[in-house]
Amino acid sequence: MNLLNDLKITRRDFVKASAVAGATLALGVGLKPTLRVLAETPMPASKDVGEWIASTCQGCTSWCSKQVFVVNGRAVKIQGNPNSKVNVGAGCVRSHLALQQVYDPDRIKMPMKRTNPKKGRSEDPRFVPISWDEALNTIADKIMALRNNHETHKYMLMRGRYTYMRDILYDRMTKIIGSPNNISHSAICAEAEKFGPYYTEGYWNYRQYDVKNTRYILIWGADPLAANRQVSYYTSVWGDVLDRAKVAVVEPRLSVTASKADEWLPIKPGHDGALAAAIAHILLTKELWYKEFVGDFVDRSNQFAPGQTVDEQTFEEKYTHGIVRLWNSELKDKTPEWAAVRTGLPVEQIRRVAVEYGKAAPHAISWVGGGPVMQVRGGYTSMICHALNGIVGAVDNVGGTLASNKEYTVPFPEPDDFMDDIAENGKKHEKIDQRGRKEFPALKEGKPGSAVVTNNAAEGILNADPYDIKVALAYMNNFAFAACQPERWERALSKIPFLVHITTNASEFSWFADMLLPDTHHLFEKWGYVKSIGNGYRHVTLMQPVIKPMWEAKIDETEIPWLIAEKLAERGFDNLLRHYKEYKDPETGKEPTNADEFALYALKYATQNLWDPSKYKGGDRFNGWEAFRKTGVWNSDPYPYRKRWGKMKTKTGMFEFYSETLKEALQKHAKNHHTTVDAILETCHYQARGEKAFIPHYEEPFTNGDGTEYPFLFVDHKSRLNREGRSANCTWYYDFKDVDPGDAAWDDVAKINPVDAKKVGVRDGDPIRLTSPTGSITCTVKLWEGAQPGTVAKCYGQGHWVYGRLASKEFGRVPRGGNNNDLIPAVYDRLSGSTVRHAATRVRVEKL
């Protein structure tokens, strides 16, 4: 059934304008028939009909290389690209949902402008269609007004899902205009995951896990079979993994991966660090550390005894730094009995998991996900959980945790020569997210104020601190839904005088925009590339237009900035356009002359070292661009195990159990603010003082809400169907929602243990309200033993009040289900800048 048959055109909303046909700009004309999700033309009987074309899925951060089957210009089927050594031809359900997304009749079809000057959730924007020319002229005029008034720092670029073409718009354009405010989504995703590995082994990025060769996997708050990086690959090999290795999952709820594990450790939310410390205690007291990596006592006699201090001079380390200081300052008293009280886990289980994990060394993985680290004190939890990899020698080792393989893409030309005095002066201003202030160390790669604090940008905008934002562009983001305590973003976006949103669908963010620009879908309609790691390899995988872009969509990171640059040049500011003309076609040397050429040439420029035989540096070989385009993916050389031992990018070059790297960064931040490290930690809500600040350790959870008024801990988790927050306008998302353990098809449920349900007087299927100190949502009760007593577990993804006619019950007014983020406060792990999602708040349950 065509959804447009049920649309009430009288509602003054996004869909009204979005439904108008192609180039027809006047309202009131007939509706153009929309394409259905699957063509009525049957699948071809012959293999010679249709074509498989390579592209990439960005439904999550796995970034799997894909192939799309195209028949008569229409995408009808998707499969994994067998040429990738990262996802190895595997796929997951998310890629198939993309078919419903690209042909979604609720997509933005043409540029639109707001006609209601008032902004707010209760204000209908009354968007009307405009031409691309009008849209681009308006944007250029707004940017030129900032330049003419020497206010370029009041321009802001907000980035959501990106490709590695991002710097064209995110970095180069922002700098040449003259603003410091390129704000990415990264901190609402998983920055705290990177904190532990960096301040132990000098690696600020996501890890890959050598599951083919491991013998034990200890997973902390990750769900690799549902919602972690490389879901496709792990799902395809997990049966073999279970044949060779033991798997233990530390998770407050029964996740997909926990349901298929040897051990499920249903920990009390927020106490992962206590369990990690106890496991480390057992590894040392039982002499289960990997001596080839860590070293040993000089006399070969184990002196790690519970409660006993050890002389540092008695231990000779090899590739690590500070193991004895870690023991003396943190581990000597962290017995399994001590941990059992805090975690709610049996002493016997803690001891058994620790010993089995240690005996598997060095082929033993401590897999740290977002659960334990996206907490107020999560930076230190990230360190203590990752430190287990150092103790068992799994870092950079066979069957352990690996960094990224080397790749050879080319950075885009630097913008410096095109930044005039106005731009240079504008860029010197403080960023709107307030990173680097005393209360926001944001210590990316050891540099104070270098990590984005995405969610705090709303506070900067709201309070005009350090200044007001006058012009903002945003693409493929939805901070008014995806950020915690999103009503702050609703108020913040309402304050921006001119806001442009580049998006496929009208989202909550779009509701507050002054202009909407139709974006291409990453899997089907754009040029680009991304990089991803897994299975001991790195791949660089291409996006390309496998179908003609729907309606008037244009590519966010290439075509649109080029078109803006042309308009700026018409107004006398040609710096950006002259910069973009440096992105020449490597095959012909030709400068781009239009947006289409620029999108293609920029991609060829960035990837030349991968496909040009004269530039070959390693990995797969190609004989030219066309061969690379058809294959769709380049693979690196295999991972070089142990190559980083003794050469890690820490201050000592070693794996740091006592982090000299963190010590230097914290002292630098304290010096910047004329204070002490202890004062910084107190301001940022950490418990560590003195030398403990520089070692991995357990800190008690910092949770919002009084336990009497809000008796349940809220557990947020992700769906194996979530294409981030963009699945909710797809019927298949609801049809198959029960693939998430405890969830139900066509419903949004909060999972409660039957013991707790009896106490609060609710039954399976009851409508309820969940309330936290910062907000409330309505949903349905699901009684489920997989939810730990004392918790309420709910999957993120529903609760949209716009985005489409299916995503919301009533577009622009009534959400379908509840948005978890309405319950979660805007708080941070301030050392990394990460948003907090776990052990963040308590809730109460009320039957409706």
Side-chain angles (χ1 to χ4, degrees):
M1 182 180 71
N2 193 321
L3 287 173
L4 283 179
N5 293 336
D6 296 330
L7 176 61
K8 295 182 179 179
I9 300 298
T10 55
R11 169 69 176 142
R12 298 177 303 173
D13 55 19
F14 293 116
V15 179
K16 174 180 177 180
S18 180
V20 181
T24 304
L25 301 180
L27 293 173
V29 299
L31 294 176
K32 181 178 179 179
T34 59
L35 294 169
R36 299 185 182 182
V37 173
L38 294 176
E40 293 182 357
T41 305
M43 285 289 288
S46 169
K47 293 182 179 178
D48 296 327
V49 179
E51 180 184 9
W52 287 104
I53 304 175
S55 192
T56 301
C57 177
Q58 285 193 290
C60 70
T61 48
S62 294
W63 293 348
C64 294
S65 189
K66 296 292 182 183
Q67 293 176 332
V68 181
F69 195 64
V70 179
V71 179
N72 296 326
R74 186 172 183 79
V76 298
K77 190 176 181 181
I78 298 166
Q79 68 180 15
N81 189 338
N83 298 303
S84 169
K85 294 180 181 178
V86 172
N87 60 289
V88 201
C92 80
V93 294
R94 290 180 179 86
S95 60
H96 304 295
L97 283 168
L99 288 167
Q100 289 197 326
Q101 288 182 321
V102 71
Y103 296 122
D104 183 353
D106 290 343
R107 281 182 63 178
I108 302 296
K109 297 176 176 61
M110 64 202 66
M112 293 192 288
K113 70 177 180 182
R114 185 185 199 94
T115 60
N116 182 2
K118 297 180 181 179
K119 292 185 180 182
R121 186 162 177 171
S122 62
E123 294 290 341
D124 188 328
R126 297 204 295 269
F127 280 102
V128 297
I130 58 174
S131 67
W132 268 103
D133 196 53
E134 180 181 346
L136 295 165
N137 279 325
T138 304
I139 294 168
D141 286 341
K142 298 293 185 180
I143 292 172
M144 290 305 298
L146 293 181
R147 288 187 53 80
N148 292 337
N149 292 327
H150 294 263
E151 292 183 317
T152 57
H153 57 288
K154 297 184 178 182
Y155 167 84
M156 181 181 185
L157 189 285
M158 288 173 271
R159 185 189 82 195
R161 176 51 51 230
Y162 62 90
T163 76
Y164 280 89
M165 310 299 283
R166 63 191 181 188
D167 284 348
I168 292 171
L169 174 62
Y170 176 73
D171 183 85
R172 305 309 195 260
M173 178 170 157
T174 307
K175 287 178 178 176
I176 291 172
I177 288 172
S179 174
N181 290 311
N182 47 355
I183 304 297
S184 80
H185 76 294
S186 301
I188 65 172
C189 186
E191 287 301 273
E193 283 187 42
K194 305 170 186 176
F195 188 86
Y198 184 80
Y199 288 105
T200 52
E201 60 170 290
Y203 177 68
W204 186 278
N205 213 324
Y206 303 115
R207 279 78 55 219
Q208 54 179 320
Y209 302 96
D210 192 13
V211 299
K212 293 184 303 183
N213 299 307
T214 196
R215 295 297 175 264
Y216 203 100
I217 305 176
L218 178 59
I219 299 176
W220 305 84
D223 196 0
L225 300 186
N228 202 267
R229 288 160 190 85
Q230 297 314 324
V231 175
S232 299
Y233 171 67
Y234 294 130
T235 302
S236 70
V237 301
W238 208 253
D240 295 334
V241 170
L242 292 174
D243 288 340
R244 291 189 304 268
K246 276 201 168 184
V247 177
V249 176
V250 183
E251 179 72 63
R253 66 177 181 96
L254 186 67
S255 64
V256 176
T257 309
S259 71
K260 301 181 184 301
D262 298 282
E263 297 259 8
W264 174 36
L265 293 87
I267 195 168
K268 290 181 181 178
H271 294 281
D272 306 77
L275 177 60
I279 290 173
H281 174 97
I282 295 167
L283 293 174
L284 296 186
T285 57
K286 297 291 185 182
E287 205 168 344
L288 294 173
W289 70 89
Y290 189 58
K291 296 177 182 178
E292 189 176 337
F293 182 69
V294 180
D296 199 0
F297 286 97
V298 175
D299 63 3
R300 303 297 186 266
S301 174
N302 186 14
Q303 297 177 36
F304 292 128
Q308 300 299 310
T309 299
V310 174
D311 182 353
E312 291 185 42
Q313 302 304 314
T314 64
F315 197 98
E316 185 177 0
E317 293 185 79
K318 286 192 174 181
Y319 299 105
T320 66
H321 174 77
I323 186 66
V324 174
R325 270 190 269 186
L326 174 63
W327 170 263
N328 290 338
S329 298
E330 171 65 7
L331 301 182
K332 63 183 176 63
D333 299 315
K334 300 300 191 292
T335 64
E337 291 78 12
W338 169 89
V341 173
R342 288 153 182 82
T343 62
L345 300 172
V347 172
E348 297 77 15
Q349 187 180 36
I350 296 172
R351 185 175 289 114
R352 179 177 63 252
V353 167
V355 170
E356 290 179 352
Y357 173 74
K359 286 184 177 179
H363 315 301
I365 294 169
S366 178
W367 186 322
V368 187
V373 303
M374 295 186 76
Q375 301 184 16
V376 172
R377 295 163 176 162
Y380 286 116
T381 308
S382 183
M383 290 180 73
I384 188 67
C385 291
H386 187 65
L388 298 177
N389 288 308
I391 293 174
V392 299
V395 177
D396 232 37
N397 209 347
V398 177
T401 65
L402 312 178
S404 298
N405 303 62
K406 193 170 185 179
E407 55 85 20
Y408 307 101
T409 54
V410 180
F412 292 119
E414 291 297 327
D416 303 54
D417 292 343
F418 301 90
M419 293 173 63
D420 59 15
D421 290 342
I422 293 174
E424 292 285 1
N425 290 330
K427 191 176 176 297
K428 292 176 182 177
H429 285 76
E430 181 184 1
K431 287 180 179 282
I432 196 67
D433 64 350
Q434 302 172 352
R435 70 184 79 172
R437 293 187 178 184
K438 180 182 178 182
E439 65 273 22
F440 283 113
L443 302 173
K444 180 180 179 180
E445 296 182 321
K447 302 170 187 175
S450 59
V452 66
V453 191
T454 310
N455 206 14
N456 199 58
E459 300 297 331
I461 297 168
L462 278 169
N463 301 315
D465 181 12
Y467 42 77
D468 57 329
I469 294 295
K470 291 188 174 181
V471 176
L473 267 66
Y475 76 99
M476 290 307 288
N477 69 323
N478 190 9
F479 297 161
F481 180 85
C484 297
Q485 216 172 328
E487 61 84 20
R488 299 158 47 259
W489 278 100
E490 295 178 14
R491 291 184 285 117
L493 298 176
S494 296
K495 285 194 64 176
I496 300 175
F498 184 69
L499 173 63
V500 179
H501 197 205
I502 306 168
T503 181
T504 56
N505 287 62
S507 69
E508 286 76 7
F509 192 102
S510 307
W511 194 259
F512 304 93
D514 297 275
M515 184 178 291
L516 301 182
L517 301 180
D519 203 354
T520 51
H521 192 286
H522 60 268
L523 182 54
F524 305 100
E525 301 172 318
K526 72 188 296 182
W527 290 110
Y529 79 98
V530 292
K531 301 176 280 191
S532 190
I533 53 175
N535 190 31
Y537 288 91
R538 186 168 201 162
H539 73 197
V540 175
T541 174
L542 291 178
M543 292 96 165
Q544 58 181 314
V546 302
I547 62 172
K548 183 180 178 181
M550 300 294 294
W551 300 290
E552 296 183 28
K554 295 189 183 297
I555 304 173
D556 43 28
E557 294 170 327
T558 51
E559 291 181 332
I560 292 176
W562 172 276
L563 293 169
I564 293 172
E566 286 185 326
K567 294 295 185 181
L568 291 173
E570 289 175 6
R571 287 154 175 78
F573 180 64
D574 67 351
N575 299 40
L576 185 60
L577 186 61
R578 286 190 290 111
H579 170 74
Y580 286 160
K581 286 185 176 182
E582 290 203 336
Y583 298 48
K584 298 177 182 178
D585 184 346
E587 289 186 300
T588 66
K590 181 183 175 183
E591 288 183 352
T593 60
N594 55 54
D596 291 339
E597 289 180 349
F598 179 63
L600 177 58
Y601 294 178
L603 175 60
K604 292 171 72 175
Y605 179 100
T607 59
Q608 182 182 6
N609 288 346
L610 310 184
W611 54 262
D612 186 340
S614 69
K615 302 285 187 179
Y616 179 76
K617 297 179 184 298
D620 289 351
R621 289 180 179 269
F622 295 95
N623 61 12
W625 164 254
E626 188 61 19
F628 180 42
R629 186 195 65 78
K630 287 184 177 180
T631 303
V633 62
W634 169 91
N635 300 284
S636 71
D637 294 317
Y639 193 83
Y641 296 112
R642 299 192 178 193
K643 189 174 182 179
R644 295 191 303 125
W645 284 18
K647 302 175 184 177
M648 294 180 177
K649 293 182 179 180
T650 57
K651 190 170 175 60
T652 63
M654 305 296 180
F655 188 97
E656 294 184 344
F657 295 115
Y658 179 92
S659 183
E660 304 285 357
T661 309
L662 179 56
K663 184 176 184 177
E664 182 178 65
L666 278 172
Q667 288 178 340
K668 187 182 298 183
H669 184 69
K671 184 178 180 181
N672 289 346
H673 295 280
H674 310 288
T675 188
T676 64
V677 170
D678 282 356
I680 294 294
L681 294 173
E682 182 178 8
T683 298
C684 297
H685 307 301
Y686 298 98
Q687 294 177 308
R689 300 292 183 270
E691 288 290 285
K692 199 161 193 174
F694 316 126
I695 64 172
H697 65 271
Y698 162 69
E699 298 219 353
E700 296 171 354
F702 184 100
T703 304
N704 196 34
D706 176 74
T708 302
E709 186 176 359
Y710 304 98
F712 298 100
L713 286 164
F714 185 66
V715 176
D716 168 86
H717 67 94
K718 303 301 182 282
S719 170
R720 64 201 311 181
L721 298 172
N722 276 0
R723 293 180 59 82
E724 297 178 318
R726 303 186 182 95
S727 300
N729 214 44
C730 302
T731 56
W732 294 339
Y733 178 71
Y734 302 98
D735 286 337
F736 302 108
K737 193 65 179 67
D738 53 1
V739 300
D740 293 314
D743 277 12
W746 288 95
D747 205 349
D748 190 24
V749 303
K751 298 173 282 288
I752 303 174
N753 192 281
V755 173
D756 291 328
K758 187 175 182 180
K759 290 178 182 177
V760 298
V762 296
R763 296 183 178 182
D764 208 46
D766 282 347
I768 59 168
R769 177 181 292 110
L770 298 179
T771 303
S772 76
T774 58
S776 66
I777 61 175
T778 58
C779 55
T780 303
V781 166
K782 180 68 179 291
L783 272 57
W784 189 53
E785 292 83 355
Q788 185 185 154
T791 69
V792 173
K794 186 175 178 298
C795 190
Y796 166 79
Q798 298 189 54
H800 283 282
W801 49 275
V802 282
Y803 208 80
R805 287 161 285 186
L806 185 60
S808 56
K809 279 189 176 180
E810 184 179 350
F811 190 88
R813 290 179 176 171
V814 183
R816 181 183 296 277
N819 180 5
N820 289 7
N821 288 324
D822 287 332
L823 300 175
I824 303 173
V827 290
Y828 310 88
D829 170 58
R830 292 168 183 262
L831 290 181
S832 66
S834 175
T835 285
V836 169
R837 297 193 181 279
H838 305 288
T841 191
R842 292 180 167 274
V843 296
R844 65 171 178 263
V845 179
E846 302 168 86
K847 182 178 177 180
L848 297 177

